[in-house]
């Protein structure tokens, strides 16, 4: 007997990032020398004071169910964090905690999308965005933002894309996979368009807010357009800044009617997030960011090393990231070239497969809606980044240019 799957689940696919990571892990477990540059997971350990807070919570018996919208002390800490670091004020009912930022995004779309509603998704995008839209009955409307515009949405593109079915716009900064950061002027221009369409909600994914290479503090759309706060959901968490990917704590800050609906959705799926995870997140938000400059400096050094190596690779065009954990590379110049084994590179999937055989694991740009590109993570050891750049440059040099018959 076969299981009949819903049309909903057949509209989505396994995360491309997870698939690439799994493949790299399998090869390494089999004894292959693979440099894994697939995932945005900090190679730094969770700061000690955060781990100590988790131990203390366990010893103190804080291992029970938690309130669905989050422990009050944590939500208050998030409220203070938003005031202190983001210069934004939120009432406590407007803040909700979930099992990672991905659940916050899922709950938001589950609370607001009806069949046929559209969500504007700038390309390249984090792969979960369109699939979370689809599984909740919506339709992603893709807006290609290529190399010539720094992988950033323009006001004219936004204006041209909004229609009667538009429900949300997603803005991700610093971008994943691009590393793009919107300037104050660029955010102001987008805000001017959004003001003409009050029915459009805005989702701000700012998980990488503090991983910036320009030395400036985090800048949000809401800092330049506070009048949009009443229809914006700000999504944050502890995974990137505090190296807490496995703790699974994210938060959303937005209109009370939205966060209340998100709480209802969460109450019927996972209920409240982990008690121990929330205790650790409380320590994170209350413990300051003194550890962060050293880590950001390390990410920037890795970025510079990898960009320099890849810029020497014949056939590659590199978008220098302004923040985040990734370097996004256009590889159109490699297509049509011949590998040493005689196979021709036809698309970015072929390029990623070829690089994997040379011992470097990345993710094809098609996973992010933009081809032919590939993404490499700099959230790994500096020595691995240096060696990956060397291997990729060497792999490009081994390709033959041969005219198609």
């Amino acid at each position: 007997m076969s299981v009949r799957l819903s049309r909903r689940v057949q509209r989505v696919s396994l995360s491309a990032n997870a698939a690439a990571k799994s493949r790299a892990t399998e090869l390494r477990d089999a004894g292959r020398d693979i440099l894994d540059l697939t995932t945005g997971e900090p190679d730094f350990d969770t700061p000690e004071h955060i781990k100590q807070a988790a131990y203390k919570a366990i010893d103190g018996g804080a291992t029970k169910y938690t309130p669905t919208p989050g422990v009050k002390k944590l939500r208050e800490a998030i409220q203070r964090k938003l005031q202190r670091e983001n210069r934004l004020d939120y009432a406590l009912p407007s803040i909700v905690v979930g099992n990672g930022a991905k659940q916050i995004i899922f709950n938001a779309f589950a609370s607001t999308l009806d069949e046929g509603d559209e969500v504007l998704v700038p390309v390249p995008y984090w792969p979960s965005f369109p699939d979370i839209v689809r599984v909740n009955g919506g339709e992603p409307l893709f807006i290609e933002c290529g190399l010539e515009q720094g992988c950033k949405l323009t006001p004219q593109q936004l204006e041209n894309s909004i229609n009667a079915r538009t429900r949300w716009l997603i803005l991700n900064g610093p971008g994943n996979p691009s590393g793009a950061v919107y300037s104050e002027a660029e955010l102001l221009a987008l805000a001017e368009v959004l003001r003409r369409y009050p029915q459009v909600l805005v989702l701000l994914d700012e998980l990488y807010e503090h991983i910036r290479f320009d030395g400036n503090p985090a800048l949000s759309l809401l800092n330049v357009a506070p009048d949009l706060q009443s229809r914006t959901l700000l999504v944050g968490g502890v995974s990137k800044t505090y190296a807490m990917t496995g703790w699974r704590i994210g938060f959303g800050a937005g209109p009370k009617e939205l966060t209340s609906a998100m709480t209802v959705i969460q109450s019927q799926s996972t209920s409240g997030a982990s008690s121990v995870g929330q205790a650790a997140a409380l320590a994170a938000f209350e413990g300051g960011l003194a550890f962060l400059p050293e880590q950001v400096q390390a990410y920037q050094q890795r970025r510079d090393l990898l960009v320099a190596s890849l810029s020497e690779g014949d056939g590659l065009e590199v978008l220098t990231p302004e923040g985040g954990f990734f370097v996004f590379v256009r590889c159109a110049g490699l297509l049509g070239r011949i590998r040493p084994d005689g196979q021709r590179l036809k698309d970015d999937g072929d390029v990623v497969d070829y690089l994997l055989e040379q011992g470097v694991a990345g993710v094809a740009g098609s996973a992010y809606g933009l081809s032919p590109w590939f993404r490499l993570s700099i959230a790994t050891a500096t020595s691995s980044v240096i060696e990956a750049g060397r291997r990729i440059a060497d792999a490009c040099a081994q390709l033959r240019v041969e005219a198609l018959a």
Side-chain angles (χ1 to χ4, degrees):
M1 176 182 175
S2 61
V3 175
R4 184 176 67 84
L5 300 178
S6 69
R7 287 190 296 273
R8 182 182 300 110
V9 76
Q10 293 179 58
R11 298 182 69 203
V12 302
S13 57
L14 179 69
S15 164
N17 294 340
K21 172 72 174 180
S22 177
R23 187 178 181 191
T25 300
E26 288 175 2
L27 290 172
R28 293 175 81 171
D29 289 346
R32 292 281 304 278
D33 175 19
I34 302 294
L35 300 171
D36 185 359
L37 276 64
T38 60
T39 55
E41 182 169 52
D43 58 315
F44 298 101
D45 193 13
T46 301
E48 185 62 28
H49 71 280
I50 298 174
K51 293 191 291 185
Q52 289 299 325
Y55 301 148
K56 184 177 179 180
I58 294 171
D59 288 341
T63 57
K64 309 300 183 184
Y65 288 134
T66 60
T68 301
V71 172
K72 184 180 179 182
K73 285 186 178 180
L74 174 57
R75 293 163 67 218
E76 290 173 338
I78 293 169
Q79 186 181 43
R80 291 190 293 270
K81 169 259 189 291
L82 291 168
Q83 292 171 333
R84 180 178 65 249
E85 299 174 13
N86 305 94
R87 306 171 299 285
L88 297 171
D89 292 321
Y90 285 92
L92 202 60
S94 292
I95 297 171
V96 60
V97 174
N99 296 276
K102 186 180 288 189
Q103 185 180 37
I104 294 294
I105 296 167
F106 188 99
N107 290 349
F109 290 156
S111 300
T112 56
L113 293 179
D114 289 316
E115 295 296 325
D117 285 345
E118 291 184 351
V119 177
L120 304 182
V121 184
V123 178
Y125 50 72
W126 178 51
S128 290
F129 284 140
D131 275 349
I132 293 176
V133 170
R134 292 185 184 106
V135 82
N136 283 297
E139 296 291 339
L141 194 155
F142 299 113
I143 309 171
E144 184 168 325
C145 307
L147 181 64
E148 69 284 349
Q149 61 196 73
C151 290
K152 290 186 278 189
L153 179 69
T154 68
Q156 192 60 56
Q157 286 180 307
L158 176 58
E159 182 85 50
N160 294 342
S161 301
I162 295 174
N163 61 58
R165 296 192 303 275
T166 305
R167 195 78 175 96
W168 285 88
L169 164 68
I170 295 174
L171 284 180
N172 176 207
N176 175 6
S178 67
V181 172
Y182 287 89
S183 68
E184 181 176 355
E186 289 166 336
L187 291 171
L188 281 168
L190 294 175
E192 188 60 33
V193 176
L194 288 166
R195 291 188 180 104
R196 294 196 284 274
Y197 301 94
Q199 79 279 12
V200 178
L201 302 170
V202 183
L203 189 146
L204 297 179
D205 175 358
E206 300 190 348
L207 266 292
Y208 295 92
E209 60 179 345
H210 292 306
I211 315 299
R212 294 174 57 120
F213 306 135
D214 58 7
N216 294 322
L219 181 68
S220 169
L221 174 70
L222 297 180
N223 295 133
V224 303
D227 55 301
L228 299 181
Q229 187 167 335
S230 62
R231 55 183 169 116
T232 297
L233 179 69
L234 175 64
V235 180
V238 296
S239 60
K240 313 302 182 182
T241 299
Y242 300 95
M244 294 176 66
T245 51
W247 297 84
R248 308 311 304 142
I249 299 294
F251 71 83
K256 180 182 176 182
E257 59 268 35
L258 175 58
T259 54
S260 294
M262 291 165 61
T263 300
V264 171
I265 293 292
Q266 187 161 309
S267 74
Q268 299 297 353
S269 57
T270 64
S271 298
S274 158
S275 59
V276 177
Q278 291 192 67
L282 173 60
F285 288 129
E286 295 287 82
L289 297 170
F291 65 91
L292 191 60
E294 180 180 354
Q295 294 185 11
V296 173
Q297 183 179 24
Y299 294 133
Q300 185 166 355
Q301 179 190 34
R302 296 167 188 175
R303 177 203 68 171
D304 293 343
L305 289 166
L306 189 56
V307 167
S309 294
L310 297 177
S311 297
E312 296 177 1
D314 183 30
L316 302 178
E317 298 174 88
V318 186
L319 177 66
T320 301
E322 300 171 275
F325 289 167
F326 309 105
V327 175
F328 203 41
V329 187
R330 188 169 185 265
C331 55
L334 299 183
L335 302 190
R337 296 189 183 186
I338 308 299
R339 296 169 27 150
D341 62 3
Q343 297 183 52
R344 189 182 298 273
L345 299 178
K346 298 177 182 178
D347 55 33
D348 52 16
D350 287 347
V351 172
V352 167
D353 288 344
Y354 173 56
L355 295 180
L356 185 59
E357 292 183 14
Q358 311 305 309
V360 180
V363 186
S366 54
Y368 312 98
L370 196 59
S371 294
W373 292 67
F374 61 89
R375 190 194 78 169
L376 300 171
S377 171
I378 54 173
T380 188
T382 302
S383 58
S384 295
V385 169
I386 294 171
E387 177 62 13
R390 187 197 67 77
R391 292 184 188 184
I392 292 171
D394 185 57
C396 291
Q398 293 181 49
L399 295 171
R400 302 196 319 271
V401 179
E402 185 177 295
L404 290 169

